[in-house]
Amino acid sequence: MLPNIEYSLSYAAPTGIERDALSALALNPDARWHDRMDHAQFVVTAMHEGTRVGLGIVHTSVTAPSEVPRPMELGGMFVHPAYRRLGIRQYMAETRLTYALSMGGTPITVIDNRNAASWSYYERSARWAIEREYTGYFTSMPMTIWVSTESSWYRTGMGLAPLVPAQPNTVLPQQLNHVRPLALGPDQDSSVTA
Ligand SMILES: CC(C)(COP(=O)(O)OP(=O)(O)OC[C@H]1O[C@@H](n2cnc3c(N)ncnc32)[C@H](O)[C@@H]1OP(=O)(O)O)[C@@H](O)C(=O)NCCC(=O)NCCS
């Protein structure tokens, strides 16, 4: 039976015991990892029976040579080995992307070309395109910066309008469909601009 995974969101950099718990989950919580955590603007955590089993963040500590305006990096992705191939990354990645797009930044993510699990995901997704490749500062190995195809930067660069269809999980309040237009006050029914 598939585990019942619950997701929680935070809009602040993790500190204290939450930082400790997420650090324990991560593969290699080194100085760079903590730097990204310090600059986290959004954190999605996957939980199973009260235990953290997955993590993804959006941060602004971008060190890769991206040339997009206002880059917001989707990073820190990690799923506990016992919970992989269940779609947890898929869910957290979509959630991060929706957040970054809604904040008006240009979502990017940086992938080590040797990481097959990540490469296959971004390569087959229509929501991502390659911005550029470069050589990793620390690894000296090929890295790739991917950019959201829904970002204004990407769309205008492709000659498209910057507008994109609403995200599937962006739901307008139901009652808006039924609300009648507000009645104008006595001095508001005027064509003269303020
Ligand atoms: C990469 C990682 C986050 C994927 O998490 P996950 O929850 O297992 O991923 P998902 O279940 O959402 O996978 C979605 C799809 O990605 C692809 N994928 C996932 N893992 C894969 C693997 N090991 N090899 C090839 N493709 C893989 C598959 O297409 C998969 O769909 P499928 O299971 O229906 O075939 C996880 O393996 C991990 O934490 N790895 C160590 C840290 C890491 O590499 N982080 C990413 C840094 S950029």
Side-chain angles (χ1 to χ4, degrees):
M1 194 174 79
L2 290 176
N4 180 28
I5 304 296
E6 295 181 326
Y7 296 91
S8 59
L9 309 179
S10 168
Y11 300 87
T15 55
I17 55 172
E18 182 62 16
R19 173 79 68 98
D20 293 343
L22 296 176
S23 298
L25 172 65
L27 190 61
N28 180 23
D30 56 10
R32 173 63 182 146
W33 191 86
H34 282 288
D35 180 51
R36 285 181 293 186
M37 282 289 149
D38 289 341
H39 292 87
Q41 299 197 338
F42 178 78
V43 182
V44 51
T45 309
M47 314 276 291
H48 181 227
E49 296 178 347
T51 301
R52 292 162 187 78
V53 298
L55 161 73
I57 71 171
V58 178
H59 68 87
T60 52
S61 175
V62 178
T63 57
S66 173
E67 294 180 354
V68 306
R70 292 192 61 203
M72 298 184 80
E73 185 170 337
L74 281 55
M77 178 65 77
F78 189 85
V79 175
H80 186 286
Y83 292 83
R84 290 181 186 167
R85 304 304 286 262
L86 298 175
I88 293 176
R89 182 264 305 276
Q90 172 93 31
Y91 182 92
M92 295 195 298
E94 298 285 318
T95 305
R96 291 187 310 182
L97 180 55
T98 299
Y99 169 80
L101 286 168
S102 72
M103 295 305 289
T106 307
I108 62 166
T109 195
V110 180
I111 302 297
D112 183 325
N113 290 10
R114 296 168 296 171
N115 190 331
S118 291
W119 188 268
S120 63
Y121 174 79
Y122 287 95
E123 188 177 40
R124 75 177 185 183
S125 173
R127 303 186 76 182
W128 294 94
I130 291 176
E131 181 202 348
R132 62 179 296 191
E133 292 194 55
Y134 71 102
T135 302
Y137 306 126
F138 304 112
T139 61
S140 298
M141 299 301 286
M143 307 284 291
T144 302
I145 305 171
W146 294 78
V147 62
S148 162
T149 55
E150 290 150 86
S151 63
S152 295
W153 179 84
Y154 181 85
R155 288 183 61 87
T156 51
M158 297 295 287
L160 301 168
L163 301 175
V164 296
Q167 300 296 307
N169 53 352
T170 302
V171 180
L172 295 174
Q174 286 291 322
Q175 63 269 28
L176 281 184
N177 298 333
H178 311 296
V179 170
R180 293 165 54 182
L182 290 173
L184 293 173
D187 56 352
Q188 290 176 307
D189 190 11
S190 165
S191 59
V192 180
T193 52

